[in-house]
Amino acid sequence: MISQLATLFVDDTTLPWEQISEGVKRKVMTYDANLMMVKVAFDAGGIGSVHSHVHTQMSYVASGTFSITIANETRIVRAGDVFYVPSNVRHGAVCEEAGILVDVFTPMREDFVQ
């Protein structure tokens, strides 16, 4: 995977997509040891499987409609909405209408750049 380490300006068109599952792909936009931004594109019906990680996560819905589950609560989120995932809390996504999430993690996700 190609990644963008601590770059002041990032040209989205120069970064390749990485297919991570059926109907879901991502780009690591930029990061340092403390912070990472990732763009995730979903086709309608794409699933971000339920999982947890030590990283704190905030996600901005750039486009589309998603059913997001955090802990035991599920909500529909749309373009312009934001959701927050505390450290070690189980969460997942189902894409209802094709779209893009912009995820921010602290600290950075080392597993995304190995």
Side-chain angles (χ1 to χ4, degrees):
M1 150 167 214
I2 299 172
S3 57
Q4 200 67 30
L5 175 62
T7 301
L8 296 177
F9 299 95
V10 177
D11 178 352
D12 180 54
T13 64
T14 67
L15 300 177
W17 287 102
E18 174 189 8
Q19 195 74 38
I20 57 174
S21 65
E22 183 70 31
V24 183
K25 58 188 178 180
R26 75 175 166 223
K27 291 183 185 190
V28 174
M29 303 304 291
T30 192
Y31 65 92
D32 65 18
N34 300 308
L35 190 65
M36 173 180 270
M37 180 178 282
V38 179
K39 182 190 276 189
V40 187
F42 289 77
D43 294 337
I47 296 173
S49 299
V50 175
H51 65 287
S52 64
H53 43 72
V54 300
H55 314 85
T56 298
Q57 175 180 340
M58 290 187 181
S59 297
Y60 171 74
V61 183
S63 62
T65 303
F66 297 84
S67 176
I68 302 294
T69 300
I70 303 170
N72 295 320
E73 185 173 355
T74 301
R75 297 263 182 106
I76 299 296
V77 296
R78 295 174 177 81
D81 293 342
V82 171
F83 59 92
Y84 166 73
V85 182
S87 176
N88 294 312
V89 172
R90 293 184 60 74
H91 59 284
V94 176
C95 183
E96 305 292 338
E97 176 185 311
I100 294 178
L101 298 177
V102 179
D103 296 337
V104 177
F105 300 97
T106 185
M108 62 86 76
R109 296 283 307 260
E110 290 183 14
D111 55 319
F112 283 9
V113 296
Q114 295 177 354

